[in-house]
């Protein structure tokens, strides 16, 4: 899933490469998206790269390669189809911040009376728009051993940014809903009231560091006012075909 800003930037880069063969500069991208600073473009570039839509080529200035574009929404149900989700584009009104996913009304005992049905709230590219995890796609039956006290929801993982923590593409992570975390916890963090990402939480002085578990991705260090904790990873489900 892509936010509208991410989709707009990806489309702008793609069209510029198609027309001229040269990626746009950060200033051109900033102006095209009506952003006030290039730091916003840097965050969008990181998000698109993490999701596998673009690649930054080493040792070349302004070198960006578009790897793929979002598929049409009409693609067959069940496949991973990146699509546009409202994310507060500057020229469009920004939606009110969505609350943390609230699976309590849907978390219930399965028909066998032993398993617990936990709602799967969408996909997270180890980063996904927060609105994408407000729409329950289905539920999974879990043993109570996989859960703790409190409310839980699950997310399907896409991408490789947490592979060294044992979290692989296609895994389902089970999240306990909470708004606090300890250093070292793997959390779902909401950044700038727009983008949710699965990362390891650490404090760096007065700032918050969101660490990937893959050396190919850089740590994001953000002010505490930019990060809201949406939940803590407590277990993981993996299916082998």
């Amino acid at each position: 899933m892509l936010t509208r800003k991410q989709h707009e930037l990806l489309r702008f880069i793609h069209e510029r490469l198609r027309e001229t063969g040269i990626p746009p500069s950060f200033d051109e991208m900033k102006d095209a998206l009506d952003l006030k600073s290039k730091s916003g473009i840097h965050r969008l570039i990181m998000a698109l790269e993490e999701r596998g839509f673009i690649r930054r080529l080493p040792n070349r200035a302004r070198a960006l390669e578009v790897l793929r574009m979002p598929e049409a929404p009409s693609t067959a149900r069940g496949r991973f189809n990146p699509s546009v989700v409202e994310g507060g584009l500057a020229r469009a009104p920004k939606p009110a911040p969505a609350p943390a996913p609230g699976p309590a009304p849907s978390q219930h005992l399965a028909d066998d009376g032993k398993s617990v049905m936990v709602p799967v709230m969408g996909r997270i590219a180890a980063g996904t728009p927060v609105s994408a995890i407000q729409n329950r796609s289905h539920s999974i039956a879990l043993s109570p051993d996989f859960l703790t006290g409190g409310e839980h929801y699950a997310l399907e993982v896409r991408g490789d940014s947490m592979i060294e923590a044992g979290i692989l593409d296609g895994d389902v992570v089970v999240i306990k809903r909470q708004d606090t975390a300890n250093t070292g916890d793997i959390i779902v963090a909401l950044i700038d009231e727009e983008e949710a990402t699965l990362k390891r939480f650490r404090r760096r002085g007065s700032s918050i560091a969101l660490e990937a578990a893959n050396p190919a991705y850089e740590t994001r260090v953000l002010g505490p006012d930019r990060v809201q904790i949406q939940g803590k990873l407590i277990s993981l489900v993996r299916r082998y075909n």
Side-chain angles (χ1 to χ4, degrees), residues 42-60:
H42 180 68
R43 291 196 299 272
L44 293 174
I45 290 289
M46 287 177 55
L48 289 171
E49 184 176 31
E50 182 174 323
R51 288 161 175 77
F53 286 95
I54 65 172
R55 179 172 61 186
R56 287 183 286 187
L57 304 179
N59 305 317
R60 293 173 57 187

Side-chain angles (χ1 to χ4, degrees), residues 22-91:
I22 301 173
S25 68
F26 270 49
D27 282 326
E28 289 171 331
M29 289 186 275
K30 175 176 67 69
D31 292 342
L33 269 68
D34 292 336
L35 296 180
K36 295 181 179 179
S37 71
K38 289 186 285 187
S39 63
I41 294 296
H42 180 68
R43 291 196 299 272
L44 293 174
I45 290 289
M46 287 177 55
L48 289 171
E49 184 176 31
E50 182 174 323
R51 288 161 175 77
F53 286 95
I54 65 172
R55 179 172 61 186
R56 287 183 286 187
L57 304 179
N59 305 317
R60 293 173 57 187
R62 290 177 50 180
L64 295 172
E65 179 183 7
V66 175
L67 301 177
R68 63 190 178 100
M69 295 295 289
E71 298 178 26
S74 58
T75 304
R77 185 185 180 97
R79 295 180 58 190
F80 173 49
N81 303 318
S83 59
V84 179
V85 179
E86 292 292 342
L89 187 64
R91 52 177 165 265

Side-chain angles (χ1 to χ4, degrees), residues 84-147:
V84 179
V85 179
E86 292 292 342
L89 187 64
R91 52 177 165 265
K94 186 172 183 176
S106 302
Q107 184 177 311
H108 58 276
L109 285 176
D111 292 340
D112 61 13
K114 299 177 181 179
S115 302
V116 178
M117 300 301 296
V118 174
V120 179
M121 304 300 289
R123 296 182 174 97
I124 192 163
T128 190
V130 65
S131 21
I133 58 175
Q134 299 299 311
N135 301 312
R136 185 174 69 136
S137 58
H138 61 285
S139 295
I140 55 174
L142 295 176
S143 165
D145 294 338
F146 281 81
L147 307 174

Side-chain angles (χ1 to χ4, degrees), residues 9-29:
L9 181 59
L10 179 62
R11 186 173 61 185
F12 178 66
I13 295 171
H14 177 69
E15 291 177 353
R16 180 60 63 87
L17 283 170
R18 185 176 57 186
E19 292 171 0
T20 68
I22 301 173
S25 68
F26 270 49
D27 282 326
E28 289 171 331
M29 289 186 275

Side-chain angles (χ1 to χ4, degrees), residues 99-101 130 153 175-178 188-190 228-232:
V130 65
Y153 60 97
I175 306 296
K176 178 182 178 182
R177 181 183 175 184
Q178 59 185 63
V188 174
L190 175 62
Q228 298 175 34
I229 297 169
Q230 302 278 283
K232 172 186 172 181

